Amino acid sequence: MADTLAQLASHRLVPVVVLDEAAHADGLAQALVDGGLPVAEVTFRTAAAPDAIRAIAARGDVLVGAGTVLTAGQVDQAVAAGARYVVSPGTSRAVVERCAEHGIPVLPGAVTATEVQAALELGVTTVKFFPAGTSGGAKAIAALGAPFVGLSFVPTGGIGPGNLDEYLALPSVAAVGGSWMVPRDLVRGGDLTAVRDLVREAVALATSLRPDVRDR
Ligand code: 3PG
């Protein structure tokens, strides 16, 4: 489990993907690989999610997880499809406990000290800080990092090229999630070259912001 979280952190970015059809999954995965970011959080916002995860997991070259997981049943579906990690917008005991049963890392959402403590009590080591932009942004994460030593954050929501630096500058930020490099309309329209280019730009930006990580 720690290995998977370490792999996520090494990429610094987690593309949050909404796939309207599972048939788009392979092309999207190829665009991510070609763009230099073989990571995907495929959200359960569409019915295509389990089949899309299955298709990406079968390739073996993308660190694929399930996002927007709201129920224990969806955890089961995600694990059966081959997801390597689970992300949830909030902290649900049912979701976290089912992930533990499966032995799969989970990143539940938490943006207040009380929510963070609830997640810690469930054995969580990394939380999703969502929605980052409207929950105090990087300043809030820095403030929470003071009492919660050792806790890692993956901020998501309202982050893009214009403010990525604020988040990646924080030592408690393991990686930053976002949809800006995988726009739903481009994926739906099959414009995978444009997706690849956005992914490349995001990777180049993240690398330029953290040269220490690039060389690790
Ligand atoms: C998520 O679920 O992580 C967010 O919807 C992604 O937020 P963004 O679209 O603002 O990047």
Side-chain angles (χ1 to χ4, degrees):
M1 293 216 285
D3 278 5
T4 302
L5 290 174
Q7 276 182 52
L8 266 187
S10 76
H11 289 293
R12 306 299 289 161
L13 297 173
V14 182
V16 178
V17 181
V18 181
L19 285 165
D20 291 288
E21 292 178 39
H24 298 157
D26 191 57
L28 181 270
Q30 192 60 47
L32 289 167
V33 170
D34 291 343
L37 185 59
V39 181
E41 175 189 326
V42 178
T43 61
F44 268 70
R45 289 171 212 185
T46 64
D51 284 343
I53 291 169
R54 192 167 286 109
I56 297 173
R59 295 170 51 99
D61 58 354
V62 174
L63 184 61
V64 63
T68 323
V69 172
L70 304 178
T71 66
Q74 287 176 336
V75 174
D76 294 341
Q77 284 182 280
V79 170
R84 303 266 309 278
Y85 55 94
V86 164
V87 185
S88 192
T91 293
S92 152
R93 173 180 285 274
V95 166
V96 173
E97 288 184 346
R98 187 60 62 89
C99 286
E101 281 167 32
H102 284 292
I104 187 171
V106 57
L107 294 85
V111 294
T112 67
T114 299
E115 291 166 4
V116 166
Q117 280 186 237
L120 288 174
E121 281 176 10
L122 295 172
V124 166
T125 59
T126 305
V127 296
K128 170 171 172 149
F129 186 83
F130 172 82
T134 54
S135 303
K139 281 186 183 155
I141 297 173
L144 284 170
F148 299 116
V149 178
L151 179 70
S152 295
F153 295 87
V154 177
T156 310
I159 304 176
N163 58 359
L164 182 63
D165 58 337
E166 297 168 24
Y167 293 93
L168 284 184
L170 298 175
S172 61
V173 167
V176 168
S179 64
W180 81 89
M181 70 293 259
V182 284
R184 183 174 181 169
D185 54 337
L186 290 186
V187 176
R188 183 170 36 210
D191 196 348
L192 298 171
T193 305
V195 173
R196 180 203 63 196
D197 290 347
L198 284 171
V199 171
R200 263 189 200 154
E201 285 166 23
V203 170
L205 180 58
T207 304
S208 73
L209 293 170
R210 291 294 300 268
D212 55 317
V213 168
R214 181 195 59 202
D215 297 333
R216 204 157 58 187

